[in-house]
Amino acid sequence: MPVTEVSPPQYTVSASHPLPSGVSAAQVAKDVEIDNLIENIAIEKGDPALLAYADCGAWLQAITREIRSDQAEHIRIVSITDSVALLKVGYQPDPQDSQVTAAAIVSGTEVQRRMLADGASSTKVTHFNVIRWVLWSATNGRYLTCDTGQS
């Protein structure tokens, strides 16, 4: 059974770029955390269909490609553990879609344990400092990650 973990810190809200009126910082922070967990589970299970509950737009396509690439190379992700050091929410328009204005800056480290095609195992450690743009999904009743970039 895959073990997916994320240990988010207390989120902060950008003083210089506050969220638009009516947008809940607590919900954006929680939804970014949920999106990350669902993505990790989808990657571990090799099931891009699960991503519809976490992602949309360009980010959905990117993670789907990642899963398909792992499958094509016969790589199985055994576990993903994310350690988040910073989570800050605020207003930052997505350069690809000006209607998307809620975002979170997320910094930390991801550790993937992988089983390679030849049966060998490996560990991939990635440090990240990204901005995740989120878009309200009436269907899901929460924010979904729609794109990401370097913060």
Side-chain angles (χ1 to χ4, degrees), residues 90-105:
Y91 169 85
Q92 176 68 46
D94 181 343
Q96 306 302 318
D97 185 349
S98 61
Q99 294 180 335
V100 179
T101 57
I105 294 174

Side-chain angles (χ1 to χ4, degrees), residues 9 16 29 40 43 48 62 77 82 84 87 92 102 107 118 124 126 132:
S16 57
N40 289 354
I43 292 167
I77 307 302
D82 292 326
V84 178
L87 178 58
Q92 176 68 46
S107 298
D118 63 5
K124 177 182 174 186
T126 306
R132 282 184 164 229

Side-chain angles (χ1 to χ4, degrees), residues 108-129:
T109 304
E110 179 174 274
V111 178
Q112 281 189 4
R113 286 194 24 232
R114 314 165 123 224
M115 186 66 68
L116 306 177
D118 63 5
S121 63
S122 74
T123 300
K124 177 182 174 186
V125 178
T126 306
H127 301 285
F128 56 86
N129 183 35

Side-chain angles (χ1 to χ4, degrees), residues 32-45:
V32 165
E33 176 187 348
I34 292 168
D35 291 350
N36 185 72
L37 288 169
I38 294 170
E39 288 166 8
N40 289 354
I41 291 167
I43 292 167
E44 289 173 352
K45 292 183 177 285

Side-chain angles (χ1 to χ4, degrees), residues 15-145:
S16 57
H17 301 287
L19 286 164
S21 178
V23 175
S24 165
Q27 182 162 11
V28 170
K30 186 66 174 171
D31 289 350
V32 165
E33 176 187 348
I34 292 168
D35 291 350
N36 185 72
L37 288 169
I38 294 170
E39 288 166 8
N40 289 354
I41 291 167
I43 292 167
E44 289 173 352
K45 292 183 177 285
D47 186 357
L50 295 173
L51 296 172
Y53 301 100
D55 303 320
C56 59
W59 192 238
L60 172 64
Q61 295 169 11
I63 299 298
T64 298
R65 280 192 302 272
E66 180 182 327
I67 291 170
R68 297 281 186 236
S69 175
D70 287 344
Q71 291 170 336
E73 295 177 31
H74 304 285
I75 296 171
R76 187 170 66 86
I77 307 302
V78 177
S79 68
I80 301 173
T81 304
D82 292 326
S83 176
V84 178
L86 170 85
L87 178 58
K88 180 187 271 190
V89 298
Y91 169 85
Q92 176 68 46
D94 181 343
Q96 306 302 318
D97 185 349
S98 61
Q99 294 180 335
V100 179
T101 57
I105 294 174
V106 188
S107 298
T109 304
E110 179 174 274
V111 178
Q112 281 189 4
R113 286 194 24 232
R114 314 165 123 224
M115 186 66 68
L116 306 177
D118 63 5
S121 63
S122 74
T123 300
K124 177 182 174 186
V125 178
T126 306
H127 301 285
F128 56 86
N129 183 35
V130 297
I131 185 166
R132 282 184 164 229
W133 286 281
V134 295
L135 184 63
W136 178 255
S137 169
T139 302
N140 291 299
R142 56 188 208 74
Y143 289 94
L144 302 181
T145 300

